[in-house]
Amino acid sequence: MSDITLDAKVPDGDIQTLWDEHKFNMKLVNPANKRKYEIIVVGTGLAGASAAATLAQLGYNVSAFTFHDSPRRAHSIAAQGGINAAKNYHGDGDSVHRLFYDTVKGGDFRSREANVYRLAQVSNSIIDQCAAQGVPFAREYGGLLDNRSFGGAQVSRTFYARGQTGQQLLLGAYQALAEQVGLGKVKLYNRCEFLDVVQVDGRAAGIVTRDLLTGEVQSHAAHAVVLATGGYSNAFFLSTNAMACNVSAAWRAHRRGALFANPCYTQIHPTCIPSSDEFQSKLTLMSESLRNDGRVWVPTKAGDPRGPDQIPESERDYFLERKYPSFGNLVPRDVASRNIKAQVDSGKGVGPLRNGAYLDFAESIKRLSPQVVEERYGNLFDMYERITDENPYKQPMRIFPAPHYTMGGLWVDYHLETTIPGLYAIGEANFADQGANRLGASALMQGLADGYFILPYTIGDGLAPLLNKPLADTNHPAFKAAEAEVTDRYRGYLATNGTRSVDWFHRELGHIVWDNCGMERSRPGLEKALSEIPALYQEFKTDLRVLGDDRSLNQSLERAGRVDDFFQLAELMCRDALEREESCGGHFRVEHQTEEGEALRDDENFAYVAAWEWTGPDTPAELHKEHLDFKHVHLAQRSYK
């Protein structure tokens, strides 16, 4: 048994003042000393760009790494709908406490209260920060920033910039980062992939990277390493994530000793364009903001061959409005997704492949006018029409759930530090804030909260005791061993010389994970996956074929390393799902549901964070538990009726 003890480092005190008091009690690094420290930030999306820019503005020397040609290509741009904050501009009852409550409830009571309350507290500062940067948030006639409602809330708290919110926020963070690059405080490495974290004397001392253009493997030393590398939904192969999104940074850190928390908590987003054939390699997300004004429905009769314009109101089932009258179409994503799938499974699916439900804007266009709807969603409507050749102003959109966000990630404490001292994880790369299900518009909130307002405080507490301690030498045996391991691994992919492509293996793995650890999980299905994944992984090791070499741009070689890590993660996802004998949020075990088909939690036995320790390639991971205490939100069966 490992001697790891999970210490969340949550300070004692009143949750409403906890963060402010803790900031005062943490160790500080004075401005003159900050320039003596080197910090590595891996990833330049919202969390990474905001963290790198802020740390550099504070005076630290920062090295930022991205595998993109520019930080502006980070997948954060795909978060279209908005960002939550408790400003209460509408006077409709919002508050920090209500945002905290909605987030904990939306996560089905499987998140750490202290982290979530802090997130709600700093949310208002994020809006002020971004507005000052020039982010073009929508405004009301009187000049106040506009809000719209989102799933899982009964107030309007989501700030937005049409359907481009993620892109506009990323441009704001990018310009702050670019300024620091120009000032020489941030050294930016693009087309450069993180492949391993290096520890010296029990602490993260740097990273090993590979230049994607030349294949050169290099080491970089730092006093602290920050991973801001996103989520792992591409384990399903078909997902809403960009094709390059992967788990490798987090997984390589996991193999070095960072615990991986709640890997089975994956989110299925309800408003994705249904797949058009079995050969697709990417699914397209339509923003959840569309559910503000779009109504979800299917025909009341299974197999109805008529088009939507031929089906009268009396023969339409607005099933979310019928089942959840209080929230209607704005139920959380996991609830909406399961209900849409249930309708399709019952034979009421629409579209050429009968694999979707309608999202209808006819009533809103009539009530608001086409101009207002265009102002709110015009770019999303245009994108939908380009992909489907269907005009959503004239006929309903078609939607179906798809893998999207991942609530699991590296385990971190209140300081956002992993179980490897000196290694931090922020944004979607950690598990901390979303519980078993993320509410819409909370991803941008968490990424910017971590990067702008939380990590810059907590990292100083960890760095202060290292004052005047020299950087580890990249000629240290630990760096050289990691470089050799990375080089051998990639040459091994090339040397296998089998018959199957990387994408073939990824697609086959995705089928197994989606079928058995997707929207619904069961013991027989998970056990089936746990028998099939190792067999396919063994075939991957012996029959993989990667053409080209390791000394130039070789995207198949890049993907080989990432798919290798997906195999290992997928097995842990299924094991975690099998271990958790309850349903909660996005983790839905068919054996554990209410009479009405809702998720049925087991708070007595499973109110904990499952944090898994890597014990080697041939031995099962070891489970550690962080028990969750709920002192400020009353545990209850989640209801949106």
Side-chain angles (χ1 to χ4, degrees):
M1 290 289 291
S2 169
D3 60 357
I4 289 178
T5 300
L6 290 179
D7 180 7
K9 296 180 182 176
V10 176
D12 295 326
D14 183 347
I15 197 170
Q16 295 182 356
T17 59
L18 194 65
W19 174 234
D20 291 332
E21 292 177 357
H22 190 58
K23 284 191 291 185
F24 179 78
N25 291 325
M26 283 189 290
K27 302 181 187 70
L28 295 176
V29 179
N30 83 47
N33 285 334
K34 285 187 172 74
R35 59 178 173 264
K36 299 178 181 179
Y37 292 96
E38 299 285 339
I39 300 175
I40 285 172
V41 178
V42 184
T44 55
L46 275 180
S50 60
T54 306
L55 292 168
Q57 287 171 340
L58 288 171
Y60 296 107
N61 300 304
V62 178
S63 295
F65 293 81
T66 175
F67 58 47
H68 296 293
D69 56 353
S70 166
R72 289 174 296 174
R73 291 197 182 276
H75 191 57
S76 299
I77 67 168
Q80 304 153 326
I83 178 171
N84 288 331
K87 286 287 193 183
N88 194 32
Y89 283 158
H90 284 241
D92 57 357
D94 203 9
S95 65
V96 167
H97 189 83
R98 187 173 295 279
L99 175 53
F100 158 67
Y101 172 83
D102 286 346
T103 305
V104 173
K105 177 184 175 183
D108 215 351
F109 306 93
R110 288 295 177 263
S111 50
R112 189 189 292 149
E113 278 193 336
N115 286 65
V116 178
Y117 196 91
R118 176 177 63 185
L119 175 66
Q121 277 182 293
V122 304
S123 66
N124 292 335
S125 298
I126 298 170
I127 303 304
D128 297 339
Q129 166 89 6
C130 295
Q133 287 176 331
V135 172
F137 288 122
R139 291 182 181 269
E140 295 180 329
Y141 180 77
L144 281 179
L145 301 183
D146 197 11
N147 293 137
R148 56 189 177 201
S149 51
F150 246 66
Q154 291 181 300
V155 298
S156 293
R157 64 161 65 102
T158 303
F159 295 77
Y160 65 97
R162 294 188 73 189
Q164 306 170 357
T165 314
Q167 181 181 34
Q168 297 301 326
L169 291 171
L170 182 61
L171 288 173
Y174 170 71
Q175 71 182 14
L177 173 62
E179 178 188 31
Q180 297 304 309
V181 172
L183 293 172
K185 293 299 295 180
V186 174
K187 187 172 183 180
L188 180 63
Y189 295 83
N190 59 4
R191 297 283 184 93
C192 193
E193 184 165 26
F194 169 101
L195 294 180
D196 216 340
V197 63
V198 179
Q199 297 178 69
V200 175
D201 297 329
R203 183 179 175 84
I207 65 174
V208 175
T209 64
R210 181 176 180 271
D211 188 304
L212 296 181
L213 297 181
T214 67
E216 182 182 6
V217 173
Q218 282 188 320
S219 289
H220 308 267
H223 294 96
V225 176
V226 180
L227 298 184
T229 50
Y232 51 87
S233 266
N234 274 353
F236 293 98
F237 185 71
L238 275 179
S239 83
T240 67
N241 284 196
M243 298 279 291
C245 292
N246 62 83
V247 76
S248 287
W251 192 256
R252 290 289 133 186
H254 172 58
R255 287 175 59 106
R256 294 295 185 185
L259 299 195
F260 206 103
N262 300 334
C264 79
Y265 286 170
T266 55
Q267 182 175 78
I268 312 299
H269 197 294
T271 54
C272 174
I273 298 177
S275 59
S276 57
D277 60 50
E278 62 179 299
F279 300 107
Q280 275 188 231
S281 56
K282 172 77 175 67
L283 294 174
T284 303
L285 172 70
M286 301 304 298
S287 170
E288 182 177 2
S289 62
L290 294 167
R291 287 198 283 143
N292 278 290
D293 293 308
R295 302 178 70 193
V296 181
W297 65 275
V298 294
T300 56
K301 184 175 68 174
D304 195 324
R306 294 174 293 177
D309 58 327
Q310 298 174 313
I311 301 176
E313 283 289 316
S314 60
E315 297 179 36
R316 299 180 179 188
D317 182 8
Y318 295 91
F319 54 93
L320 293 179
E321 299 172 31
R322 169 173 56 81
K323 292 183 66 176
Y324 308 99
S326 293
F327 283 74
N329 295 295
L330 291 176
V331 291
R333 291 173 175 177
D334 60 316
V335 177
S337 293
R338 281 198 298 275
N339 277 274
I340 292 170
K341 181 178 184 296
Q343 296 296 325
V344 173
D345 289 348
S346 69
K348 298 179 182 179
V350 303
L353 300 182
R354 302 293 175 190
N355 61 345
Y358 287 127
L359 183 62
D360 196 336
F361 288 85
E363 189 274 336
S364 293
I365 290 172
K366 181 179 180 180
R367 173 172 51 87
L368 298 171
S369 81
Q371 292 74 24
V372 171
V373 172
E374 183 179 9
E375 288 174 4
R376 294 179 179 179
Y377 312 112
N379 64 306
L380 299 174
F381 279 33
D382 291 344
M383 180 175 71
Y384 180 87
E385 185 171 11
R386 284 196 300 270
I387 292 171
T388 64
D389 197 28
E390 298 171 6
N391 185 342
Y393 293 100
K394 297 180 179 179
Q395 64 186 98
M397 289 183 177
R398 293 177 291 109
I399 59 171
F400 189 71
H404 178 54
Y405 186 90
T406 52
M407 288 73 67
L410 292 177
W411 185 92
V412 293
D413 60 21
Y414 192 65
H415 287 192
L416 306 182
E417 189 172 26
T418 70
T419 47
I420 297 176
L423 178 68
Y424 298 80
I426 61 176
E428 194 178 354
N430 74 34
F431 87 99
D433 295 353
Q434 312 300 348
N437 174 63
R438 177 177 68 80
L439 293 183
S442 289
L444 302 181
M445 177 173 62
Q446 185 200 349
L448 292 179
D450 288 354
Y452 280 137
F453 298 109
I454 299 174
L455 180 74
Y457 283 100
T458 62
I459 201 169
D461 187 73
L463 291 174
L466 304 180
L467 183 62
N468 295 323
K469 289 188 177 180
L471 281 178
D473 190 333
T474 54
N475 289 317
H476 188 284
F479 280 96
K480 293 304 176 185
E483 289 178 15
E485 186 175 321
V486 164
T487 301
D488 290 345
R489 181 155 58 98
Y490 279 79
R491 287 178 178 171
Y493 300 139
L494 291 166
T496 303
N497 201 30
T499 64
R500 300 284 193 182
S501 71
V502 177
D503 289 342
W504 185 88
F505 282 106
H506 194 182
R507 186 184 297 275
E508 292 301 305
L509 174 66
H511 284 320
I512 296 172
V513 181
W514 174 249
D515 290 344
N516 300 291
C517 196
M519 290 183 65
E520 292 184 350
R521 293 100 185 256
S522 68
R523 174 169 287 277
L526 291 167
E527 290 176 343
K528 180 174 182 283
L530 287 169
S531 68
E532 292 179 348
I533 292 172
L536 185 63
Y537 188 29
Q538 185 59 38
E539 189 177 347
F540 171 85
K541 293 176 180 178
T542 58
D543 199 29
L544 174 67
R545 185 173 182 82
V546 178
L547 301 176
D549 57 44
D550 62 348
R551 299 178 301 281
S552 61
L553 179 64
N554 188 340
Q555 292 183 312
S556 292
L557 184 59
E558 295 168 31
R559 290 198 296 271
R562 297 168 188 171
V563 172
D564 192 343
D565 294 330
F566 275 137
F567 268 107
Q568 299 168 49
L569 167 72
E571 190 169 350
L572 187 62
M573 286 170 61
C574 295
R575 173 132 182 248
D576 188 41
L578 185 61
E579 185 82 19
R580 188 168 285 277
E581 287 280 1
E582 65 164 353
S583 292
C584 55
H587 168 64
F588 191 77
R589 287 283 299 269
V590 296
E591 303 95 333
H592 305 288
Q593 54 184 303
T594 67
E595 291 181 357
E596 296 178 322
E598 306 294 344
L600 182 61
R601 297 193 322 272
D602 180 351
D603 295 327
E604 183 176 350
N605 295 302
F606 292 97
Y608 63 74
V609 177
W612 295 90
E613 179 188 1
W614 173 266
T615 58
D618 301 315
T619 55
E622 183 176 337
L623 174 62
H624 302 266
K625 300 177 182 179
E626 178 199 342
H627 291 276
L628 297 169
D629 294 320
F630 294 91
K631 300 176 182 177
H632 303 89
V633 176
H634 176 63
L635 284 168
Q637 172 65 38
R638 201 170 49 143
S639 174
Y640 292 94
K641 294 184 181 298

